[in-house]
């Protein structure tokens, strides 16, 4: 054969039967044989050749050398043409899924040497995804799920995956009849690129019209169906659990149904069959055929492998008796459940990390089951070291000092669980992401890793408002909950202030023409750094100048038709005074280990100076100066699992404040009032799950003022003002009152005046005015349901019923005479602004003599309300 023979494009055709099969597998077309091909290759008589060279054509994005390597063909290899090596090379290339078509051509033959060309066509890359048939908001959500596919080579598998993802998204929304058609369109501008167009037809949502449950004889049918949280039939008042049909939730709910039967003793319960019947395009019916089987009970429970612990003690902790309903789920909780309340804690709190207990059914006799508790005690494990991951802002020492599992101590399950609670209380980390991980070591010790995720917990208040009396009001406040005072001289740490040491720094300004308030506070939670003894200092100053308010109002109404009337009002003695208050406090707190680690004690020394002239803020103290020196004590127990959306736990506190008994030493000669007496306040909150995500919240608040000398009277300051959101009056701390919220009523109107107050007010105005109670009671019940548990925007809705009242004397006190209200509300927690709330309430007990009978429908709140 002559060397000058021009390169002739030859397509090697498959002639062996197995080669034909392989070609059909990868979808290669059969090409016609030409006369020139016959001149070079005899297809009826395969010959051996040496590969002299391999070239690649048609590759625009793929690396030629990589393609040659994938084919398995190499220069100087001896191959048979036609032969198995050629078919294998084609199959290898097509199996990569990135090539649309490939052929191996002979470009030149020189004796026994053959030169090959890999002629291929690349699959296009995905540069655009088009979603038709859905709204803009839906497009953004779907595109976010499939955006990772852009820029990749389009394959049949990719197209199918995207198609399934899009369809699944709408199936999960209840669009059971949704269809998704896909079309590939070549890009005329970008070479070897293409767009995928998805034509989506959601159709109507499919809802569950009826659920029929067959085979249940003992348990109430409604109770069993209630366990199917995500599969509900249509009902007029169903809000939080819509009746749309979602396949994934339906499968999960069937498992929950069987699990509920199992935990009620029906060990062999199962769903024999289930059917979905189409009623119409929008409705389906579900039929579940269930076999309950026999109800089983515990008979004999024996223990084996317990060499270190007595069987009687283990049985007492387990708390399962002969004749109890057989419940594997509850049994597992009693073995590996709450710390200090389960069998595992009995071992693990003493270091036996490798403890395990396996309940084995040893006999089934009629409806009775014998259980053998097979225990593996293992060896005691000592904690080697603590590893922290994820605390990018908070210093290690701030986290380590809260951790109860210390190196050198024996491992303790209770300490591990309580450490998670302690870290949650800090507020620096997402409670849902705190993950402890014991890592056993070869030497019998254990390392404990604590994985956390930082969250923003600084709060900013920046607002402006307008009041008819006060005019424009500007407010700026900021709270840094993870402040670091030792870094204040390091400019690199200002982001915007130094962080990481767990200190709290807060500053707030509020002002307008006639009103100003300034406050600043600092808290060190670990004074000295060795013990959880906190130290706090706070200062504040506020002033309200009524004459400036009067001047502004006179100017405002100077040109009105009633200018003379307003001139007389704002020139009256009512608007010629002021109210000033300056004070500060120092607080020392201590974390207690008895009765448990959730208890805290604190004491505070505080001083306030009041300078009042013709003030209408406190009707029982209108003129003069007053000194308020007090020593306060607080005992509290805090065990809430999550401060943003609490599911379980309690928060109980008793706070007492004592002023010196000046009257015992005579009246001070200064002529200024030296406040004396004592005050007691009790607050309790309790949370518990009802079912699913629904949470029950109960709270009670009480307080009273006391005195040492009946001739002195009760303090005019620190009285209890009830109504509204509990924050309606500006600067409540600085005007000397305790605000207690009562939704459904206006701010501060809930009060039972004394007989003398009623008579005096009736003679003057026909109504009575209140001065704030010296004793109060308030109770509230709530049901809370989360809408979003995102730590950056936690949202929940609630329904409430509450009642409360305050009294002007102990003689008039009646704990059963309460103002009642009920309503609904919502809360949203935003990392930067704290907790924001809105409530709609209706007061059932009107207050006579007041506008709208003292009722107020909507109340707004900022921050976590204590009372």
């Amino acid at each position: 054969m002559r060397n000058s023979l021009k390169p002739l494009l030859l397509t090697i055709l498959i002639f062996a039967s197995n080669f034909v099969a392989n070609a059909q597998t990868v979808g290669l077309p059969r090409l016609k044989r030409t006369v020139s091909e016959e001149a070079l290759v005899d297809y009826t008589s395969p010959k051996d050749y040496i590969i002299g060279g391999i070239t690649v054509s048609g590759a625009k994005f793929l690396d030629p050398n990589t393609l040659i390597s994938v084919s398995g063909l190499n220069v100087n290899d001896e191959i048979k043409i036609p032969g198995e090596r050629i078919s294998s090379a084609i199959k290898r290339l097509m199996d990569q899924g990135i090539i649309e078509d490939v052929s191996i051509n002979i470009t030149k033959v020189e004796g026994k040497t053959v030169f090959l060309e890999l002629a291929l066509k690349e699959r296009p890359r995905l540069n655009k995804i088009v979603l038709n048939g859905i709204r803009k908001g839906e497009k953004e959500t779907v595109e976010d799920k499939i955006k990772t596919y852009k820029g990749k080579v389009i394959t049949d598998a990719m197209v199918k995956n995207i198609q399934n993802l899009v369809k699944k998204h709408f199936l999960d929304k209840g669009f059971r009849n949704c269809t998704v058609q896909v079309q590939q369109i070549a890009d005329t501008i970008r070479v070897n690129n293409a767009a995928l167009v998805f034509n989506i037809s959601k159709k109507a949502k499919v809802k569950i019209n009826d659920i029929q449950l067959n085979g249940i004889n003992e348990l109430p049918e409604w109770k069993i169906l209630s366990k199917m949280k995500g599969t509900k039939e249509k009902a007029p008042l169903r809000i939080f659990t819509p009746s749309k049909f979602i396949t994934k939730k339906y499968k999960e709910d069937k498992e929950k149904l069987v699990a509920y039967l199992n935990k009620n003793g029906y060990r062999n319960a199962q769903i024999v069959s289930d059917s979905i019947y189409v009623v119409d395009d929008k409705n389906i019916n579900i039929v579940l055929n269930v076999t309950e089987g026999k109800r089983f009970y515990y008979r004999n429970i024996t223990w084996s492998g317990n060499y270190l612990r007595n069987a009687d003690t283990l049985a007492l902790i387990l708390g399962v008796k002969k004749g109890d309903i057989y419940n594997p789920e509850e049994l597992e909780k009693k073995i590996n459940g709450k710390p200090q309340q389960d069998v595992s804690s009995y071992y693990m709190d003493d270091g036996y990390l490798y403890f395990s207990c396996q309940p084995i059914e040893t006999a089934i006799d009629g409806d009775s089951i014998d259980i053998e508790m097979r225990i593996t005690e293992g060896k005691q494990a000592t904690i080697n070291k603590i590893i922290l991951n994820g605390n990018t802002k908070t210093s290690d020492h701030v986290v380590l000092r809260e951790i109860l599992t210390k190196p050198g101590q024996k491992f303790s399950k209770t300490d591990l669980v309580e450490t998670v609670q302690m870290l949650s209380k800090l507020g620096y980390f997402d409670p849902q992401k705190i993950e402890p991980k014991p890592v056993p070591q070869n030497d019998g010790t254990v390392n404990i890793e604590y994985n956390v995720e930082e969250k923003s917990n600084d709060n900013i208040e920046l607002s402006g408002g307008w009041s008819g009396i006060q005019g424009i009001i500007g407010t700026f406040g900021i709270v840094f909950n993870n402040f670091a005072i030792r870094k204040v001289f390091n400019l690199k740490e200002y982001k915007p202030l130094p962080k990481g040491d767990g200190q709290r720094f807060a500053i707030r300004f509020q002002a307008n023409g006639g009103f100003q308030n300034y406050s600043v506070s600092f808290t060190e939670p670990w004074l000295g750094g060795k013990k959880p003894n906190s130290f706090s200092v706070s200062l504040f100053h506020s002033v309200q100048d009524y004459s400036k308010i009067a001047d502004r109002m006179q100017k405002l109404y100077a040109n009105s038709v009633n200018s003379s009337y307003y001139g007389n009002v704002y020139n009256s003695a009512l608007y010629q005074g002021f109210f000033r208050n300056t004070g500060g406090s120092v607080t020392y707190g201590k974390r207690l280990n008895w009765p448990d680690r959730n208890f805290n004690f604190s004491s505070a020394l505080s001083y306030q100076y009041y300078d009042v002239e013709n003030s209408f803020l406190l009707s029982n103290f209108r003129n003069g100066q007053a000194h308020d020196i007090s020593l306060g004590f607080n005992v509290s127990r805090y065990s809430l699992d999550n401060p943003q959306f609490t599911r379980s736990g309690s928060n109980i506190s008793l706070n007492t404040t004592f002023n010196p008994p000046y009257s015992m030493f005579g009246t001070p000669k200064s002529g200024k009032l030296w406040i004396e007496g004592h005050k007691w306040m009790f607050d309790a909150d309790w949370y518990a799950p009802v079912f699913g995500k629904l949470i029950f919240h109960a709270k009670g608040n009480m307080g009273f003022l006391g005195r040492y000398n009946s001739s002195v009277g009760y303090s005019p300051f620190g009285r209890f003002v009830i109504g509204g959101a509990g924050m309606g009056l500006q600067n409540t701390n600085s005007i000397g009152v305790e605000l207690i919220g009562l939704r459904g009523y206006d701010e501060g109107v809930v009060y039972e005046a004394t007989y003398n107050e009623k008579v005096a007010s009736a003679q003057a105005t026909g109504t009575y005015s209140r001065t704030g109670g010296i004793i109060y009671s308030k109770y509230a019940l709530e049901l809370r349901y989360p809408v979003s548990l995102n730590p950056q925007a936690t949202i929940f809705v609630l329904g409430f019923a509450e009642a409360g009242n305050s009294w002007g004397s102990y003689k008039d006190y009646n704990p059963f005479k309460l103002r009642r209200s009920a309503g609904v509300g919502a809360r949203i927690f935003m990392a930067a602004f704290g907790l924001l709330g809105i409530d709609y309430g209706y007061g059932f007990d009107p207050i006579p003599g007041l506008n709208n009978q003292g009722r107020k429908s909507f109340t707004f709140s900022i921050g976590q309300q204590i009372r």
Side-chain angles (χ1 to χ4, degrees):
M1 189 172 295
R2 292 177 303 172
N3 291 337
S4 60
L5 181 65
K6 292 183 179 181
L8 179 64
L9 180 63
L10 298 177
T11 303
I12 302 175
L13 301 178
I14 304 168
F15 69 99
S17 59
N18 63 334
F19 189 26
V20 173
N22 287 334
Q24 291 173 345
T25 300
V26 297
L28 292 177
R30 295 291 301 274
L31 301 179
K32 291 183 179 180
R33 200 178 298 170
T34 64
V35 175
S36 57
E37 290 172 347
E38 292 290 351
L40 293 174
V41 178
D42 184 358
Y43 289 96
T44 62
S45 179
K47 294 181 179 180
D48 293 328
Y49 292 90
I50 301 296
I51 300 177
I54 304 174
T55 58
V56 177
S57 64
K60 302 185 183 307
F61 298 97
L62 301 176
D63 179 53
N65 292 328
T66 302
L67 291 171
I68 294 171
S69 177
V70 169
S71 72
L73 300 175
N74 300 293
V75 175
N76 296 325
D77 281 357
E78 183 178 331
I79 63 170
K80 192 181 291 294
I81 299 179
E84 183 66 26
R85 290 282 301 277
I86 298 298
S87 65
S88 296
I90 294 174
K91 188 175 186 304
R92 283 169 180 265
L93 291 168
M94 293 298 294
D95 284 346
Q96 301 305 307
I98 57 176
I99 298 174
E100 187 173 325
D101 193 10
V102 62
S103 62
I104 299 179
N105 303 321
I106 297 176
T107 58
K108 184 169 58 175
V109 177
E110 296 178 350
K112 291 291 185 178
T113 302
V114 65
F115 294 85
L116 302 178
E117 176 194 44
L118 305 182
L120 53 88
K121 181 181 180 182
E122 293 181 358
R123 288 182 180 270
R125 293 179 179 271
L126 178 62
N127 73 323
K128 188 176 182 181
I129 297 175
V130 180
L131 303 172
N132 295 328
I134 56 177
R135 299 190 305 270
K136 181 180 179 180
E138 293 174 320
K139 287 181 181 179
E140 293 174 353
T141 304
V142 175
E143 285 173 351
D144 190 59
K145 292 184 176 182
I146 60 179
K147 62 184 179 182
T148 55
Y149 286 96
K150 285 188 177 181
K152 295 183 179 180
V153 176
I154 298 176
T155 65
D156 294 339
M158 174 207 274
V159 174
K160 194 66 177 177
N161 287 340
I162 299 177
Q163 191 176 20
N164 289 338
L165 280 173
V166 174
K167 188 170 184 178
K168 183 180 181 299
H169 172 79
F170 291 102
L171 288 176
D172 291 345
K173 299 291 183 181
F175 297 96
R176 186 170 182 263
N177 298 321
C178 170
T179 60
V180 180
Q181 302 295 330
V182 62
Q183 181 181 7
Q184 181 175 320
I185 300 177
D187 192 323
T188 57
I189 299 176
R190 297 178 180 86
V191 178
N192 211 40
N193 279 259
L196 291 178
V197 179
F198 294 89
N199 298 306
I200 304 166
S201 177
K202 296 189 300 183
K203 300 185 172 60
K205 282 187 178 181
V206 175
K207 296 191 174 183
I208 303 169
N209 180 63
D210 179 66
I211 300 177
Q212 183 179 335
L213 188 61
N214 300 324
I216 300 298
N217 301 314
E218 299 292 334
L219 297 175
E221 184 176 313
W222 66 268
K223 198 166 187 179
I224 297 175
L225 290 176
S226 70
K227 304 305 172 184
M228 302 178 69
K229 306 296 184 183
T231 307
K232 302 286 186 182
E233 60 185 31
K234 289 192 294 186
L237 299 178
R238 181 162 286 125
I239 300 174
F240 299 120
T241 52
S243 57
K244 58 188 178 184
F245 178 81
I246 299 174
T247 303
K248 180 181 178 181
K249 290 186 176 180
Y250 176 55
K251 291 179 179 179
E252 293 172 352
D253 286 338
K254 286 192 294 183
E255 295 175 359
K256 292 177 182 178
L257 188 152
V258 174
Y260 177 72
L261 291 171
N262 292 158
K263 69 184 293 185
N264 279 275
Y266 297 97
R267 173 180 176 273
N268 300 322
Q270 59 179 324
I271 297 176
V272 180
S273 63
D274 65 295
S275 304
I276 299 174
Y277 296 97
V278 177
V279 178
D280 52 42
D281 291 341
K282 298 181 180 180
N283 295 280
I284 61 169
N285 291 340
I286 297 175
V287 177
L288 295 167
N289 297 310
V290 180
T291 299
E292 278 183 332
K294 188 183 297 183
R295 197 173 200 176
F296 288 88
Y297 302 85
Y298 292 108
R299 188 172 64 178
N300 299 316
I301 298 179
T302 58
W303 301 81
S304 64
N306 54 308
Y307 304 107
L308 301 171
R309 298 291 187 262
N310 183 274
D312 293 337
T313 304
L314 294 172
L316 184 64
I317 297 173
L318 187 68
V320 176
K321 300 177 181 178
K322 184 177 182 178
D324 288 350
I325 294 174
Y326 180 71
N327 186 344
E329 181 181 323
E330 186 66 23
L331 184 65
E332 176 61 25
K333 290 180 181 178
K334 291 177 180 294
I335 296 172
N336 300 297
K338 293 183 179 180
Q340 298 184 326
Q341 298 180 21
D342 63 335
V343 175
S344 67
S345 294
Y346 189 37
Y347 277 91
M348 289 188 174
D349 285 353
D350 196 26
Y352 292 95
L353 171 63
Y354 308 103
F355 162 85
S356 67
C357 179
Q358 187 71 26
I360 304 297
E361 297 176 0
T362 57
I364 300 176
D365 185 6
D367 63 353
S368 300
I369 297 179
D370 291 342
I371 301 292
E372 179 185 349
M373 310 294 288
R374 296 180 182 174
I375 289 178
T376 301
E377 293 175 329
K379 296 181 180 180
Q380 285 181 314
T382 302
I383 299 172
N384 179 40
K385 61 181 178 179
I386 304 298
I387 301 170
L388 301 179
N389 298 316
N391 56 316
T392 55
K393 299 177 183 177
T394 306
S395 301
D396 284 354
H397 74 273
V398 174
V399 185
L400 290 172
R401 68 192 184 189
E402 300 291 342
I403 290 176
L404 302 173
T405 53
K406 305 292 186 182
Q409 294 179 350
K410 288 186 292 188
F411 176 84
S412 170
K413 174 183 175 181
T414 299
D415 287 348
L416 192 72
V417 174
E418 291 188 358
T419 294
V420 174
Q421 296 174 349
M422 300 290 283
L423 296 180
S424 297
K425 290 178 186 178
L426 290 175
Y428 310 148
F429 312 115
D430 181 357
Q432 311 297 325
K433 302 292 179 63
I434 299 175
E435 180 187 2
K437 183 181 179 183
V439 183
Q441 304 298 299
N442 295 330
D443 59 359
T445 62
V446 58
N447 294 342
I448 301 180
E449 293 184 6
Y450 288 96
N451 299 301
V452 298
E453 183 177 305
E454 297 267 11
K455 70 170 187 176
S456 175
N457 67 333
D458 296 331
N459 299 326
I460 299 174
E461 181 184 1
L462 182 62
S463 62
W466 184 88
S467 168
I469 295 179
Q470 295 180 327
I472 297 175
I473 302 173
T475 302
F476 171 77
I478 187 166
V479 179
F480 293 94
N481 288 300
N482 197 2
F483 185 65
I485 195 170
R486 66 183 176 88
K487 301 177 182 178
V488 293
F489 297 110
N490 187 349
L491 298 180
K492 295 181 180 179
E493 297 290 340
Y494 280 74
K495 301 176 183 179
L497 284 181
K499 293 183 179 182
D501 284 355
Q503 298 155 348
R504 185 179 187 273
F505 177 70
I507 187 168
R508 189 173 189 266
F509 306 96
Q510 190 174 46
N512 77 329
F515 164 77
Q516 298 176 38
N517 179 65
Y518 313 95
S519 64
V520 61
S521 65
F522 173 80
T523 300
E524 167 56 72
W526 282 66
L527 184 62
K530 295 182 179 181
K531 293 183 179 181
N533 301 329
S534 63
F535 176 79
S536 302
V537 59
S538 64
L539 300 169
F540 70 87
H541 171 73
S542 69
V543 59
Q544 295 199 31
D545 190 332
Y546 309 135
S547 62
K548 292 184 178 180
I549 296 175
D551 291 342
R552 199 189 67 81
M553 296 303 292
Q554 288 186 59
K555 292 178 181 178
L556 181 65
Y557 291 104
N559 299 321
S560 72
V561 294
N562 295 320
S563 59
S564 61
Y565 166 76
Y566 287 110
N568 292 331
V569 170
Y570 293 108
N571 277 320
S572 66
L574 181 65
Y575 284 94
Q576 298 304 314
F578 56 81
F579 185 100
R580 298 168 184 160
N581 184 18
T582 303
S585 66
V586 177
T587 304
Y588 174 80
K590 182 178 180 62
R591 190 181 301 169
L592 306 178
N593 291 322
W594 185 89
D596 61 36
R597 293 170 175 153
N598 295 313
F599 277 85
N600 292 274
F601 171 79
S602 66
S603 59
L605 178 64
S606 62
Y607 170 77
Q608 293 187 65
Y609 176 74
Y610 296 95
D611 186 9
V612 178
E613 181 180 302
N614 196 32
S615 172
F616 56 80
L617 292 176
L618 298 172
S619 58
N620 55 346
F621 188 80
R622 302 184 64 88
N623 292 279
Q625 293 80 40
H627 297 280
D628 184 355
I629 300 175
S630 64
L631 181 63
F633 301 96
N634 178 274
V635 178
S636 63
R637 185 182 188 275
Y638 182 97
S639 62
L640 303 184
D641 66 330
N642 187 337
Q644 293 178 16
F645 181 75
T646 306
R647 297 173 178 82
S648 63
S650 61
N651 185 14
I652 303 172
S653 69
L654 175 64
N655 189 76
T656 61
T657 305
F658 299 92
N659 300 112
Y662 301 108
S663 60
M664 295 177 62
F665 309 101
T667 304
K669 296 181 180 180
S670 65
K672 298 178 181 179
L673 175 64
W674 291 78
I675 298 171
E676 71 169 53
H678 50 92
K679 181 166 67 174
W680 300 73
M681 300 189 72
F682 176 78
D683 304 290
D685 288 84
W686 181 72
Y687 297 83
V690 180
F691 59 84
K693 297 180 180 179
L694 189 65
I695 304 300
F696 175 74
H697 173 210
K699 67 186 301 182
N701 309 93
M702 304 175 192
F704 67 89
L705 297 179
R707 58 187 178 182
Y708 308 119
N709 190 334
S710 60
S711 63
V712 174
Y714 297 100
S715 170
F717 298 95
R719 299 199 174 197
F720 308 108
V721 178
I722 300 184
M727 57 179 297
L729 297 176
Q730 308 241 2
N731 302 308
T732 57
N733 292 330
S734 59
I735 64 172
V737 298
E738 295 284 353
L739 285 188
I740 293 94
L742 189 63
R743 292 164 285 190
Y745 292 94
D746 206 348
E747 309 291 340
V749 301
V750 180
Y751 174 73
E752 296 297 323
T754 63
Y755 175 78
N756 292 334
E757 287 174 330
K758 293 180 181 180
V759 171
S761 296
Q763 291 174 347
T765 62
T767 62
Y768 68 89
S769 62
R770 57 124 208 87
T771 61
I774 63 171
I775 183 172
Y776 91 99
S777 298
K778 178 194 168 183
Y779 312 95
L781 301 175
E782 287 184 349
L783 287 174
R784 298 181 168 192
Y785 190 87
V787 176
S788 169
L789 293 177
N790 187 323
Q792 299 303 317
T794 302
I795 304 171
F796 61 90
V797 294
L798 57 89
F800 68 86
E802 57 187 14
N805 211 344
S806 65
W807 294 265
S809 72
Y810 287 97
K811 182 179 179 181
D812 297 320
Y813 174 67
N814 183 351
F816 301 104
K817 188 174 183 180
L818 303 173
R819 306 288 182 183
R820 301 163 299 167
S821 67
V824 296
R827 299 289 185 273
I828 175 170
F829 176 88
M830 301 180 67
F833 299 100
L835 191 66
L836 309 176
I838 180 173
D839 297 284
Y840 175 85
Y842 178 80
F844 294 103
D845 302 297
I847 302 175
L850 299 179
N851 292 333
N852 197 32
Q853 297 182 310
R855 294 190 180 102
K856 183 180 182 180
S857 298
F858 286 97
T859 53
F860 300 90
S861 60
I862 301 175
Q864 189 76 35
Q865 301 303 296
I866 298 175
R867 303 177 180 92

